[in-house]
Amino acid sequence: MSQYIYLVRHGEQQDAQHGMGDGPLSARGRRQGQLLAERIGGLPLTATYHSPLQRASETARIIGERMPSIESQPSALLMDCVPTGKTTEMPSAYAPFFGAVTEAEVDAGTAQMADATAEFLAPRKGERHDLLITHNFVIAWFVREVLGAPAWRWMTLDQAHCGLTIIQRKPGRPWTLLTHNDLAHLPMELRTGLPDPLLV
């Protein structure tokens, strides 16, 4: 029996460009959540978990309105965080990002991601379909972990708001990346959150 994890970044946050740490979804973010809910509405979900931050909680609530049989549970393991600090292998172009990140934040993020992958990637009995509504860096870390890529490579993996990433584990096999940042459910004007706009 296979395990599936559906990783979703929260919808667009209102006024996020002004440095707001957390807050409600924008009107566009709410629409992203609704379209995502329509996309995954037929999944046989076993469980749903979300980051406790408001933007993720509101995304979970929107999805829950479409899928009321499963109640999403908050998990601190899915909080926004910085998974690692600078490493010797990391290209220097990424160094400026860490100028405003404290050592304590990095230590906390590293510990959190170790616990999160141990919890959610652990082998389970039976067929499972789990939905995790979380943040850009958290999803990047899960994908990096599944691919066995160097620690710093999470910085090269970006997820759009309400993009869909799916990983799968079959018995006796490692986790596999099935799809990354799938945006088929979102029209071009709702594809936000990436560092560069998509041209196709």
Side-chain angles (χ1 to χ4, degrees):
M1 305 293 276
S2 296
Q3 291 175 246
Y4 294 87
I5 295 179
Y6 306 89
L7 294 155
V8 167
R9 186 182 180 188
H10 58 80
E12 181 187 74
Q13 181 182 331
Q14 184 176 329
D15 297 326
Q17 66 271 24
H18 301 301
M20 193 173 187
D22 190 24
L25 296 179
S26 66
R28 186 159 51 182
R30 291 191 295 274
R31 184 60 183 147
Q32 291 164 341
Q34 291 164 354
L35 291 174
L36 173 66
E38 292 176 13
R39 169 78 183 276
I40 65 174
L43 290 176
L45 291 181
T46 310
T48 302
Y49 304 91
H50 65 271
S51 159
L53 294 178
Q54 184 177 1
R55 56 193 185 270
S57 297
E58 288 191 7
T59 304
R61 180 177 49 77
I62 290 170
I63 294 172
E65 290 170 355
R66 178 72 164 75
M67 307 173 75
S69 62
I70 296 287
E71 183 176 351
S72 186
Q73 302 295 320
S75 172
L77 296 177
L78 300 176
M79 288 277 287
D80 203 4
C81 70
V82 178
T84 66
K86 289 185 288 185
T87 68
T88 56
E89 303 90 353
M90 183 183 294
S92 59
Y94 295 105
F97 170 84
F98 294 95
V101 179
T102 67
E103 187 175 336
E105 287 173 325
V106 169
D107 289 344
T110 300
Q112 177 187 321
M113 286 297 90
D115 289 345
T117 53
E119 171 70 20
F120 292 110
L121 298 184
R124 314 269 185 183
K125 293 183 178 180
E127 184 95 1
R128 287 195 66 91
H129 295 262
D130 295 335
L131 173 64
L132 310 185
I133 302 163
T134 180
H135 304 274
N136 188 31
F137 295 165
V138 175
I139 297 171
W141 186 261
F142 269 84
V143 173
R144 183 221 60 80
E145 181 78 9
V146 166
L147 295 177
W152 66 271
R153 294 292 299 196
W154 66 270
M155 296 202 71
T156 68
L157 296 163
D158 287 295
Q159 286 65 226
H161 295 120
C162 285
L164 178 62
T165 293
I166 306 172
I167 58 177
Q168 177 198 42
R169 181 184 176 277
K170 293 182 178 180
R173 300 185 186 184
W175 282 93
T176 301
L177 178 66
L178 295 185
T179 185
H180 176 249
N181 198 37
D182 185 344
L183 303 177
H185 49 288
L186 298 176
M188 289 298 296
E189 65 271 16
L190 291 181
R191 297 181 181 185
T192 61
L194 295 173
D196 298 303
L198 290 175
L199 300 179
V200 292

